Amino acid sequence: MKTYTKELHIKTKNRIEFVNITEEVRKAVKKSGVKDGIVLINPMHITASVFINDNESGLIQDFKEWLDGLAPMKKNYHHHQTGEDNGFSHLWRTIMGRETTVAITDGDLNFGTWETIFYGEFDGQRDKRILVKIIGE
Amino acid sequence: MKTYTKELHIKTKNRIEFVNITEEVRKAVKKSGVKDGIVLINPMHITASVFINDNESGLIQDFKEWLDGLAPMKKNYHHHQTGEDNGFSHLWRTIMGRETTVAITDGDLNFGTWETIFYGEFDGQRDKRILVKIIGE
Amino acid sequence: MKTYTKELHIKTKNRIEFVNITEEVRKAVKKSGVKDGIVLINPMHITASVFINDNESGLIQDFKEWLDGLAPMKKNYHHHQTGEDNGFSHLWRTIMGRETTVAITDGDLNFGTWETIFYGEFDGQRDKRILVKIIGE
């Protein structure tokens, strides 16, 4: 059995940003030497997501507008009584999910044609970490 | 360590359909010979979900109506500027989640009484694939 | 390769409750002897979630109000034709997600500063089980 752990570091320009991290995850898979197994990818933060969907700019705009409809950025959440202003970020991350797990076969991500791994940042402009954990053989 | 990989193939009659795939996943677990480990199940498509909930027809009707309330089928999404008409499918899949991971104990799915694995198709009537990846010993 | 399986038992006082289970999961990781691997945590029920977010009481209140907005407790769901009254519980669990998977590094949860594992109970006051499955080496 082999394991491999890597942290990706990211600091987005905008507070809300969707970043395609597929190739960075793929590089980690290659470097791990794991031919058959799984890779878990998660933010180490609670106002961000790692998720899989289509790499299409219109859809990314749809996500932003849809999330703002389900959990408005401008709303005054109970969470803000702590001095924070990122209540929406916690809820957006809940909708988009924390982590994703992807199968590794033949030493590569076992992916469908359109599957793309995104880091969804909902409270950015700060240093953030993404954890990549690989186990297999 | 053992690994096992299987693709399930599916083509639903309807655009929207919920298919119980529990027994097909269980067969893969038995065939893998893994007694203790995990099984990851995910669609290889970005307009479908694999999720776990109750196998009850009223609840499935509730899911459809609820999802249409949260992300209407009839809305004109930015994504449609590409020529697609499945903006809602991407959002429904986001709510329902991409994948599920289930524990394997004593060579079988380690499940509660009512846990049922569903493939949720939100843009069907086409050939689709579901990936089953098993690792353990 | 090592594996370790543990069931946590829980019976909440209230129908809706968010319980911090981080230390119980950590104990299982220590007991497993796994230094490098993953831990899967899921309820064995279909009206509950295991998820990761901030341990802040205002945010937990936000979750409850937000979930009731997205899937009202008081609504008469199709699912209720079976005699159940927990349609909302199934939908809340869908939003919050069924399971989470966490990396294990150096024999401990590989966590960011604020990551906290919660059991989200949406139909409680009954005996419930949470499955902890660890694989690694």
Side-chain angles (χ1 to χ4, degrees), chain B residues 67-128:
Chain B
L67 289 165
D68 196 48
L70 296 180
M73 291 183 69
K74 302 270 184 194
K75 197 177 161 184
N76 189 17
Y77 295 95
H78 295 291
H79 184 51
H80 295 181
Q81 291 168 23
T82 61
E84 294 282 359
D85 65 349
N86 62 3
F88 77 95
S89 315
H90 292 275
L91 304 183
W92 288 26
R93 121 63 168 266
T94 301
I95 292 282
M96 301 306 290
R98 172 182 177 261
E99 80 244 4
T100 195
T101 306
V102 178
I104 299 169
T105 306
D106 298 331
D108 200 358
L109 300 170
N110 196 338
F111 255 179
T113 312
W114 303 106
E115 289 190 284
T116 306
I117 308 171
F118 283 94
Y119 172 70
E121 173 64 82
F122 309 128
D123 193 20
Q125 301 168 317
R126 292 181 289 163
D127 294 316
K128 300 287 187 88

Side-chain angles (χ1 to χ4, degrees), chain C residues 3 9 23 75 137:
Chain C
T3 66
H9 293 257
E23 287 314 310
K75 197 177 161 184
E137 63 179 7

Side-chain angles (χ1 to χ4, degrees), chain C residues 3-136:
Chain C
T3 66
Y4 182 79
T5 309
K6 186 173 174 59
E7 281 184 20
L8 309 177
H9 293 257
I10 202 159
K11 184 177 177 175
T12 59
K13 280 191 192 170
N14 304 298
R15 189 173 192 190
I16 313 289
E17 213 166 305
F18 291 78
V19 183
N20 179 350
I21 58 169
T22 312
E23 287 314 310
E24 292 203 66
V25 174
R26 178 168 276 133
K27 263 186 235 165
V29 170
K30 303 280 186 192
K31 198 155 184 197
S32 74
V34 168
K35 297 300 176 198
D36 216 334
I38 58 168
V39 50
L40 166 70
I41 315 118
N42 65 269
M44 302 185 79
H45 307 269
I46 50 186
T47 53
S49 292
V50 172
F51 69 95
I52 289 173
N53 216 305
D54 196 5
N55 187 14
E56 197 279 301
S57 60
L59 182 65
I60 288 169
Q61 188 58 30
D62 286 321
F63 273 128
K64 290 177 191 168
E65 295 176 13
W66 178 64
L67 288 165
D68 196 49
L70 295 181
M73 291 183 70
K74 301 271 182 193
K75 197 177 161 184
N76 190 17
Y77 294 94
H78 295 292
H79 184 51
H80 296 181
Q81 291 167 23
T82 61
E84 294 283 359
D85 65 348
N86 62 3
F88 77 95
S89 315
H90 293 275
L91 304 184
W92 288 27
R93 121 59 169 268
T94 301
I95 293 281
M96 301 306 289
R98 170 183 178 260
E99 80 243 5
T100 195
T101 305
V102 178
I104 298 168
T105 306
D106 297 333
D108 200 358
L109 300 170
N110 197 338
F111 255 179
T113 311
W114 304 107
E115 289 191 283
T116 305
I117 308 171
F118 283 95
Y119 172 70
E121 173 64 82
F122 309 130
D123 192 21
Q125 300 169 317
R126 292 181 290 162
D127 293 317
K128 300 287 187 89
R129 294 180 294 159
I130 303 165
L131 186 62
V132 180
K133 187 82 182 189
I134 296 166
I135 67 174

Side-chain angles (χ1 to χ4, degrees), chain A residues 114-133:
Chain A
W114 304 106
E115 288 190 284
T116 306
I117 308 171
F118 283 95
Y119 171 70
E121 173 65 82
F122 309 129
D123 193 21
Q125 300 168 318
R126 292 181 289 162
D127 293 317
K128 299 287 187 90
R129 294 180 294 160
I130 303 165
L131 185 63
V132 181
K133 187 81 182 190

